[in-house]
């Protein structure tokens, strides 16, 4: 979107710029979206049913097919696709600053994989914990006492206010280390995949081209990415995730 806009501006074709994308929805109603002010936010898009060609391409080109649903390392590889619960893969298209709350996939019953295709994912992940320690970890990391809602509620929510999110500080990560929770703090880059063992609390935040508070646990890591990028752009994040 931005590259096309810049190209037209460079060529002096200002009159060709149109900030609105118009379309007709499935009910026959005309809709218009201002693409400079609104971003696409899509979660849990079923590749198998909705994007079968993309799913086939993913199956054929992914270098670790054994960890896909029904793959050689999946516990349900002896069950056909119709006999096992849906495990993905799902597509996620999310703008910068969106995030998930700390959660455990499948309520702590499944391993999962997350492949970053574009954009950058800031990740915090703990080792597998007992229920009591999960609740304690959530209190340390986010300052919230609503551990049940965090563990078993929906993980996705948009927004850019890290204070509302309760994104962990360096001090919170240090306290988790003291408790033996083995926190991992890293950034998942395009082309990288992370394996998340069952029962491991984790949260994702999409990197935005803005400075964080110095107390944020991703402060140094984000600065490193922004310095290497050279040009500050808002990168839409494309990811594929699945259970196995």
């Amino acid at each position: 979107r931005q590259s096309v806009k810049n190209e037209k501006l460079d060529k002096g074709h200002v009159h060709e710029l149109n900030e609105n994308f118009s379309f007709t929805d499935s009910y026959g109603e005309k809709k218009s979206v201002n693409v400079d002010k609104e971003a696409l936010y899509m979660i849990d898009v079923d590749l198998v049913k909705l994007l079968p060609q993309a799913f086939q391409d993913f199956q054929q080109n992914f270098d670790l097919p054994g960890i896909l649903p029904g793959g050689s390392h999946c516990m349900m590889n002896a069950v056909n696709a119709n006999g096992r619960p849906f495990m993905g893969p799902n597509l996620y298209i999310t703008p910068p600053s969106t995030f998930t709350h700390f959660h455990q996939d499948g309520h702590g019953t499944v391993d999962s994989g997350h492949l970053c295709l574009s954009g950058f994912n800031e990740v915090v992940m703990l080792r597998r914990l007992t229920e009591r320690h999960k609740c304690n970890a959530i209190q340390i990391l986010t300052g919230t006492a609503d551990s049940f809602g965090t563990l078993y509620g929906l993980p996705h929510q948009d927004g850019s206010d890290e204070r509302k999110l309760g994104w962990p500080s360096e001090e919170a990560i240090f306290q988790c280390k003291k408790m033996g929770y083995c926190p991992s703090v890293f950034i998942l880059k395009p082309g990288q995949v992370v394996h998340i063992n069952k029962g491991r609390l984790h949260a994702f935040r999409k990197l935005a081209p803005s400075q964080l508070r110095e107390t944020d646990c991703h402060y140094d890591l984000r600065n490193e990415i922004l310095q290497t990028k050279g040009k500050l752009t808002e990168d839409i994040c494309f990811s594929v995730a699945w259970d196995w």
Side-chain angles (χ1 to χ4, degrees):
R1 180 182 66 188
Q2 191 62 41
S3 62
V4 172
K5 181 178 180 180
N6 291 338
E7 183 180 355
K8 289 183 178 180
L9 287 173
D10 291 340
K11 293 180 179 179
H13 298 168
V14 180
H15 63 282
E16 295 182 14
L17 292 176
N18 183 2
E19 296 178 347
N20 293 314
F21 170 67
S22 300
F23 62 97
T24 302
D25 66 15
S26 58
Y27 296 101
E29 297 181 5
K30 291 186 176 180
K31 304 286 185 179
S32 182
V33 176
N34 186 314
V35 296
D36 274 349
K37 295 182 179 179
E38 299 185 44
L40 193 65
Y41 186 81
M42 300 178 67
I43 59 173
D44 297 330
V45 179
D46 185 343
L47 281 183
V48 180
K49 291 181 180 178
L50 302 178
L51 297 169
Q53 288 183 315
F55 171 61
Q56 184 179 21
D57 180 75
F58 178 61
Q59 275 189 315
Q60 292 174 349
N61 293 285
F62 186 57
D63 289 338
L64 297 170
I67 67 171
L68 293 178
S72 58
H73 296 295
C74 177
M75 291 184 65
M76 302 194 74
N77 59 16
V79 181
N80 64 47
N82 294 324
R84 62 175 180 261
F86 178 70
M87 303 168 71
N90 288 329
L91 176 68
Y92 299 82
I93 303 176
T94 48
S97 291
T98 53
F99 58 86
T100 70
H101 295 295
F102 278 92
H103 64 286
Q104 49 185 348
D105 294 322
H107 296 169
T109 63
V110 295
D111 286 46
S112 61
H114 191 106
L115 170 66
C116 179
L117 299 174
S118 69
F120 297 84
N121 287 275
E122 296 172 333
V123 186
V124 177
M125 182 166 59
L126 308 183
R127 71 172 179 85
R128 194 173 184 181
L129 302 170
T130 63
E131 199 76 3
R132 180 171 65 88
H133 282 289
K134 286 176 187 175
C135 295
N136 187 52
I138 289 171
Q139 178 109 29
I140 293 173
L141 292 168
T142 67
T144 179
D146 183 19
S147 56
F148 183 87
T150 302
L151 288 173
Y152 301 105
L154 296 174
H156 295 275
Q157 179 181 334
D158 61 346
S160 58
D161 187 349
E162 280 83 13
R163 287 170 297 182
K164 179 181 177 182
L165 164 64
W167 195 260
S169 64
E170 284 281 4
E171 175 60 25
I173 297 299
F174 176 71
Q175 292 300 324
C176 283
K177 288 180 179 178
K178 286 180 63 177
M179 290 295 298
Y181 297 161
C182 303
S184 299
V185 179
F186 59 96
I187 293 181
L188 197 65
K189 303 174 184 177
Q192 295 182 337
V193 63
V194 60
H195 166 223
I196 304 171
N197 299 95
K198 60 176 66 68
R200 295 187 70 171
L201 287 174
H202 59 281
F204 286 81
R205 181 178 61 186
K206 312 305 178 181
L207 184 144
S210 57
Q211 291 291 327
L212 294 170
R213 299 188 307 276
E214 291 188 8
T215 55
D216 192 286
C217 67
H218 275 93
Y219 176 78
D220 291 330
L221 291 173
R222 179 179 289 195
N223 283 345
E224 290 177 11
I225 294 293
L226 295 180
Q227 289 172 7
T228 56
K229 285 182 66 175
K231 193 173 183 180
L232 298 182
T233 57
E234 290 194 341
D235 298 327
I236 300 296
C237 294
F238 285 74
S239 299
V240 176
W242 63 91
D243 299 329
W244 62 282

